[in-house]
Amino acid sequence: MQKAAKTNPTQPKRLSTIEKWDIETDVAIVGYGGAGACAAIEAADADAKVTLFELASDGGGSTALSSGEVYYGGHGGTPIQKACGFEDSTENMFKYLMASIGPTADEAKVRNYCENSLAHYQWMVDKGAVYKHSFHDRRAIIPMTDDGLLYSGNEKTWPYSEQATPCPRGHALEIEGDNGGPLLWKIISEQVQKRGVDIRYDARVLTLIADDNNAVHGLVVRIDQQELNVKARGGVVLSAGGFCMNQPMLEKYAPKLARGNYPVGNPGDTGTGILMGMGVGANAINMNEGFISMPFYPPAETTSGIFVNAQGQRFVSEDSYHSRVAHYVLQQPQGRVYLIQHADDDYTPPPLLNADIAGTGETIEELEEELKLPIGMLKHTVKYYNQHAANGEDPLFHKAAEWLKPIEPPFVGLDCSADRGVILPYFTLGGLETQPSGEVLNLNGDIIPGLYAAGRTAAGVPRTGEGYNSGTSVGDATFSGRLAGKAAATRKT
Ligand SMILES: Cc1cc2nc3c(=O)[nH]c(=O)nc-3n(C[C@H](O)[C@H](O)[C@H](O)COP(=O)(O)OP(=O)(O)OC[C@H]3O[C@@H](n4cnc5c(N)ncnc54)[C@H](O)[C@@H]3O)c2cc1C
């Protein structure tokens, strides 16, 4: 007897082969994380029948694991920004995001995100999010306090600091410690439950159901070892996260991310949402890009050190956001990078970095020798840096004056080369090309009827590690999920 072919995400089931529908709904959502939950809320509010399919035994995905930080601003400022003394115009936010994301930015999406940012903030607050009116005035990846606002990107880093007025936009929920994600998830999942949405757990979506023109009519899901055909009258929303847990896919599409050693995601981040879209002809874009970080702070004081490469030369402003630094670290010739700092008797390396001490020295010559750098290069770099730092200047990279002070002996050099133990967390930022509404586009730029994507399954607002701002991923997932849910619900009639 011939074995039945395995259902494959890149091979849609053809509508003409469907003999019966096992489940019928208006909006079928693949993945119950941040984007899926927000899609469900909006679709239900638009009077659609919504069915959510989640492969795990509970919802949350990476959103529930995250710090829950969201990037909001514009419109003169959110109430928190205003209370903390920051004025933020929509144009200023737009200019900053476009400049920091760079040439791969989707202008229409960035504009839409900025123009609706205050409304999205208000939507979250109406759903139960509480942000304390306090500014975290320390450089941090996330505040471990319950402060509501912090700088979470490269806003104060040159050249962006000259292209837009620096303004903090990272909003953290009022909770101490790294607990924002679970709290955010509690808030939005309660809203989903309140609306009586049909949620199917332990339900892995396998592929889409499409007609011969690739218009999407539903999906195939495996529940209790049965493959069920689901009809979605309005459409299918793919909100299944990214692909940081799929090693072959990473190596194929994003080899530079494959150099990372700490996937930042959940076990469901295997790219099936993206593959299902590709199966019906969707255009997958930005697939080589992702967030890759090197957590060299906290403590904030590490910013006063300098990164040098195998030539003993600096290559980045150390006041950059951690993923911007990682982006440049990975580009250095011969792959070697050291963080040079002053080391007192009680020196300890930055706790999250996991970097080995590669050398120490009472003099810079001694350190240079221990690090096996070309004779004289590190000496020159440190001398030049110190000379200008003493005057509060950094002619090469324009590090902000608050971090500029000469590096005094004794010295330490931490090995920050990739592949030598330093922590390099990463997640993907490539996905399906969509309109700001969430409608998925094919290779010709035409809309694929009945198909929507949101969150990390789509190529959204955040596009690169170099230009990443913390809060833009949860911000984009929740915002794009809302738009996709609304659009699919509207199409049902
Ligand atoms: C530790 C950590 C901290 C972070 N901190 C922040 C932060 O503070 N701010 C920020 O902006 N970003 C942060 N991020 C990134 C951010 O959390 C994610 O990029 C974002 O939440 C992704 O949302 P999503 O809805 O696209 O995917 P998810 O929330 O991951 O949801 C996707 C869901 O789809 C399910 N799924 C996958 N495939 C299938 C399938 N075939 N069938 C059914 N279900 C499927 C998954 O199980 C998952 O539940 C962090 C991430 C992590 C892991």
Side-chain angles (χ1 to χ4, degrees), residues 290-350:
F291 162 98
I292 186 155
S293 152
M294 216 184 63
F296 67 98
Y297 60 93
E301 289 70 27
T302 316
T303 311
S304 294
I306 56 171
F307 285 100
V308 298
N309 58 19
Q311 288 71 40
Q313 293 177 327
R314 283 176 76 213
F315 52 86
V316 68
S317 177
E318 295 80 9
D319 65 356
S320 302
Y321 181 73
H322 47 99
S323 71
R324 184 169 191 260
V325 169
H327 167 82
Y328 287 104
V329 165
L330 292 175
Q331 291 187 3
Q332 293 315 300
Q334 298 155 41
R336 282 167 64 199
V337 171
Y338 300 104
L339 172 61
I340 311 297
Q341 292 181 279
H342 163 70
D344 338 7
D345 288 346
D346 56 358
Y347 173 81
T348 49

Side-chain angles (χ1 to χ4, degrees), residues 38-59:
C38 292
I41 295 169
E42 288 285 7
D45 286 352
D47 291 330
K49 182 177 178 201
V50 183
T51 311
L52 261 165
F53 299 98
E54 168 55 50
L55 65 79
S57 302
D58 203 351

Side-chain angles (χ1 to χ4, degrees), residues 157-208:
T157 302
W158 185 88
Y160 314 115
S161 54
E162 288 185 354
Q163 291 163 332
T165 307
C167 189
R169 302 189 183 90
H171 286 63
L173 290 168
E174 185 171 353
I175 187 163
E176 287 196 3
D178 189 5
N179 294 307
L183 178 57
L184 181 75
W185 181 247
K186 182 173 180 293
I187 292 165
I188 55 179
S189 59
E190 277 174 7
Q191 294 292 325
V192 175
Q193 280 152 22
K194 224 162 96 177
R195 285 162 176 78
V197 169
D198 177 12
I199 309 174
R200 310 290 179 103
Y201 296 109
D202 300 311
R204 183 183 291 271
V205 177
L206 301 175
T207 197
L208 295 169

Side-chain angles (χ1 to χ4, degrees), residues 30-36 53-56 60-63 65-69 203-205 239-241 264-266 268-269 272 276 427 454-457 468 470-475 477:
V30 184
Y32 185 28
F53 299 98
E54 168 55 50
L55 65 79
S62 301
T63 307
L65 298 172
S66 80
S67 305
E69 208 167 281
R204 183 183 291 271
V205 177
S239 49
V264 182
N266 72 89
D269 273 328
T272 51
M276 283 187 246
F427 63 87
R456 297 287 58 81
T457 303
Y468 190 80
S470 196
T472 52
S473 196
V474 170

